[in-house]
Amino acid sequence: MTDSEITEKTTQLGASQIQKLFHVALRESKDLASESDDYLQRIIGNSTFKTDAYHQATSAIYREIYYRCAKDLEITSRESSLLNHVIRLLDLDDEVVVKLDYEIGLMIYKRFFREAVSDGELTIQEQEQLDKTAQFFNLQKRDINKAISKQALSFYSFLLANSLNDGLLTQAEMAKLAILSKRFGLTQKDLKKLSVPNKKEILSGALATIKARGEILEGDEEYIRSLANFINAEELLKPCIMDLELYSRIFELRKGNLPIFDSNEFILQPGEKLHYAIPITYQQRIGNKLKKLNGTLFIGSLRLRFVGLHKSHEVHYKNIFDIQFQYQRSPKLTLSVSSGKGGGEYRLQGKFDPGILFELQEAIMFLIRKSRGLEKKGARDSRYIPDEIRSEVWYRDGGCCVMCNAAEYLEFDHIIPLSKGGSTSVENLQIMCRKCNSEKSDSI
């Protein structure tokens, strides 16, 4: 029946009214098999209705009946007979029936999925039921993923948050989340909708755990990149990678693997190597006057040598009895020597990598210890901290610097330095940021 066939002006029925009339008629019929094809048309009588309203009502009725029959993933012969008579009386063609069956299948799958993940876990048995549902209704994966996208994203978000309860996200946890997102068709666009709090703290904790190990392994950078991706912290990734690269160099320096450069102005002694050449301004106070000289500080394996335009001097490592490093504002290192020249301030010139002074500190401190017979190239780093000790110290100190509460560039510090007999124990370790740790140096 079409709108053009409606000629009489009588009561016009809406979809809900038609649906109610048909419901009553189907329920009151004693035997649907014996009802004629126009049984429901006679119920409407002379009332008018729009075609869309009629189709909306018949589709809704069929959906309801089919859902009751198919919700347990089994249709009995009696239910199949009922459905056939309902299809006949509602005058539904095969194409519409197939479409409605598919829609109901997606709805049932969605309900099963919601119930399955409501406790925050998807068991093997629950996954098998979902697979059985998809097979029973011949559901396509793309349609399933679209139907459950919001619920799947919510489930993924719950698992991510649960995994981050301890402030860490392990590679095993990331692998599990990746499998889940792929299984339910979650795209990067979907995952970018998630808001993860404490991103900086999570990345700082991961970096601190890596650094506390005392070495950078091959997969560490990929792990940090994956972690930043999982917690939507790509904007924080660059400084993290720079920090990782810096500590990769630092750990090599602590082993005695210092970089070697060609010598130009620096005249090497037999067996000596050049490790760094840094533009600096040398400052020394003589009486009430501050003397400043621009030049280059050469860091060799046996000595430090300053070469200026008119003056130069050198300092042997064994003659350095104190060295201080300042990182803020005007970065510099300050030397105190037991004899000879070279005491004073060495300020870095121009733009420089913020990590270079930290790198120089490690290199010079190694060379000083080596000059006193306290270092052996290739020896295992005595600063190595076992995993269980790292974890206990990290949680005890709340994952932040004990001095200034900073949550970035964190390190594990020996309260009593190793050089002064301190042990690598929970009681003798604390969390400090790079700045505070450098200012503390080897003091207690």
Side-chain angles (χ1 to χ4, degrees):
M1 181 176 292
T2 64
D3 293 340
S4 61
E5 295 176 308
I6 302 173
T7 56
E8 297 183 9
K9 277 199 170 183
T10 57
T11 303
Q12 182 164 303
L13 301 176
S16 60
Q17 294 170 307
I18 299 173
Q19 185 175 342
K20 184 176 181 181
L21 288 172
F22 285 2
H23 262 306
V24 172
L26 292 172
R27 186 170 61 250
E28 292 182 349
S29 175
K30 296 181 180 180
D31 182 15
L32 291 180
S34 64
E35 303 292 356
S36 62
D37 292 348
D38 63 347
Y39 171 62
L40 296 179
Q41 294 294 330
R42 288 187 281 108
I43 297 298
I44 296 177
N46 293 327
S47 300
T48 63
F49 53 86
K50 292 184 178 180
T51 303
D52 288 345
Y54 180 84
H55 289 161
Q56 184 179 344
T58 55
S59 295
I61 292 172
Y62 179 77
R63 285 194 189 95
E64 182 181 336
I65 297 174
Y66 182 70
Y67 175 81
R68 292 202 305 265
C69 295
K71 64 181 180 179
D72 57 355
L73 305 185
E74 183 180 359
I75 297 180
T76 65
S77 58
R78 182 179 178 181
E79 290 171 334
S80 179
S81 176
L82 169 64
L83 289 171
N84 287 333
H85 290 304
V86 170
I87 291 170
R88 174 176 63 83
L89 296 174
L90 292 174
D91 193 25
L92 299 173
D93 60 42
D94 293 343
E95 185 177 345
V96 171
V97 171
V98 170
K99 179 182 178 182
L100 294 175
D101 287 355
Y102 196 82
E103 290 176 358
I104 293 301
L106 286 174
M107 186 173 70
I108 291 174
Y109 188 100
K110 186 176 180 179
R111 176 175 68 85
F112 283 163
F113 181 77
R114 182 176 63 250
E115 293 173 351
V117 301
S118 62
D119 60 353
E121 184 180 4
L122 185 61
T123 66
I124 295 176
Q125 293 77 11
E126 289 168 336
Q127 183 58 55
E128 289 176 348
Q129 184 188 43
L130 290 173
D131 293 340
K132 182 180 178 181
T133 304
Q135 185 177 7
F136 182 84
F137 294 105
N138 195 27
L139 303 177
Q140 299 298 310
K141 186 172 179 60
R142 65 178 180 275
D143 296 325
I144 290 175
N145 292 340
K146 184 177 180 180
I148 65 169
S149 60
K150 290 184 179 179
Q151 294 166 330
L153 186 61
S154 178
F155 179 48
Y156 177 97
S157 178
F158 171 82
L159 291 182
L160 177 59
N162 193 50
S163 299
L164 289 169
N165 278 340
D166 57 359
L168 300 173
L169 189 62
T170 66
Q171 290 178 324
E173 289 169 333
M174 285 193 289
K176 182 178 179 181
L177 289 168
I179 292 172
L180 176 71
S181 64
K182 184 177 181 180
R183 177 184 297 170
F184 297 114
L186 296 176
T187 64
Q188 282 298 312
K189 185 178 180 180
D190 294 327
L191 300 179
K192 293 303 176 188
K193 298 175 183 177
L194 299 178
S195 177
V196 180
N198 305 321
K199 296 179 184 180
K200 287 186 178 180
E201 290 80 358
I202 292 168
L203 284 170
S204 294
L207 286 170
T209 299
I210 290 173
K211 290 185 286 189
R213 190 200 303 137
E215 61 179 336
I216 305 299
L217 302 179
E218 185 177 348
D220 287 340
E221 180 176 336
E222 182 58 34
Y223 166 69
I224 293 297
R225 290 185 181 277
S226 298
L227 177 59
N229 179 62
F230 270 89
I231 64 175
N232 292 333
E234 285 82 355
E235 73 280 4
L236 303 175
L237 181 59
K238 185 176 180 180
C240 290
I241 297 301
M242 290 176 63
D243 196 48
L244 205 61
E245 292 173 347
L246 170 62
Y247 271 87
S248 180
R249 298 193 298 272
I250 294 300
F251 293 142
E252 288 302 307
L253 293 175
R254 289 175 180 175
K255 296 176 185 176
N257 298 323
L258 279 66
I260 299 175
F261 297 98
D262 293 334
S263 171
N264 295 316
E265 301 173 66
F266 187 56
I267 300 175
L268 298 175
Q269 296 178 3
E272 187 177 16
K273 298 174 182 176
L274 175 63
H275 300 305
Y276 295 94
I278 308 295
I280 59 97
T281 297
Y282 173 62
Q283 296 183 172
Q284 185 182 35
R285 185 170 294 279
I286 302 177
N288 295 325
K289 294 183 178 180
L290 185 63
K291 187 177 180 180
K292 295 184 179 181
L293 295 173
N294 292 328
T296 303
L297 179 64
F298 294 95
I299 301 174
S301 58
L302 303 178
R303 57 191 166 143
L304 297 175
R305 182 172 175 80
F306 168 74
V307 177
L309 184 60
H310 302 294
K311 291 187 177 183
S312 64
H313 60 254
E314 65 179 40
V315 181
H316 289 271
Y317 295 113
K318 64 182 180 180
N319 290 334
I320 299 174
F321 70 83
D322 188 38
I323 182 169
Q324 300 292 328
F325 296 84
Q326 176 179 305
Y327 290 86
Q328 302 301 317
R329 296 182 181 178
S330 180
K332 65 179 180 179
L333 59 93
T334 304
L335 290 182
S336 297
V337 298
S338 57
S339 63
K341 298 180 180 180
E345 297 180 350
Y346 297 78
R347 294 183 179 272
L348 276 67
Q349 295 179 359
K351 295 182 178 180
F352 60 92
D353 180 351
I356 188 62
L357 191 57
F358 184 36
E359 190 174 337
L360 292 178
Q361 175 184 347
E362 290 290 335
I364 294 173
M365 293 302 293
F366 174 85
L367 291 167
I368 291 174
R369 291 193 298 271
K370 184 180 179 183
S371 71
R372 298 171 182 172
L374 301 176
E375 290 283 357
K376 292 183 178 179
K377 187 178 183 301
R380 178 169 181 173
D381 191 354
S382 59
R383 298 173 182 82
Y384 174 77
I385 305 171
D387 291 346
E388 62 274 12
I389 294 180
R390 279 189 274 123
S391 297
E392 188 170 344
V393 174
W394 180 264
Y395 292 118
R396 184 200 65 199
D397 292 348
C400 60
C401 178
V402 296
M403 299 298 292
C404 68
N405 289 322
E408 297 180 340
Y409 303 109
L410 301 176
E411 303 168 349
F412 286 86
D413 169 67
H414 287 79
I415 299 172
I416 300 176
L418 292 171
S419 61
K420 297 182 180 179
S423 63
T424 301
S425 63
V426 173
E427 295 74 21
N428 192 48
L429 287 167
Q430 61 187 355
I431 299 294
M432 296 185 75
C433 68
R434 183 189 304 165
K435 176 180 178 294
C436 292
N437 197 10
S438 298
E439 291 174 352
K440 175 178 178 287
S441 188
D442 275 348
S443 61
I444 299 177

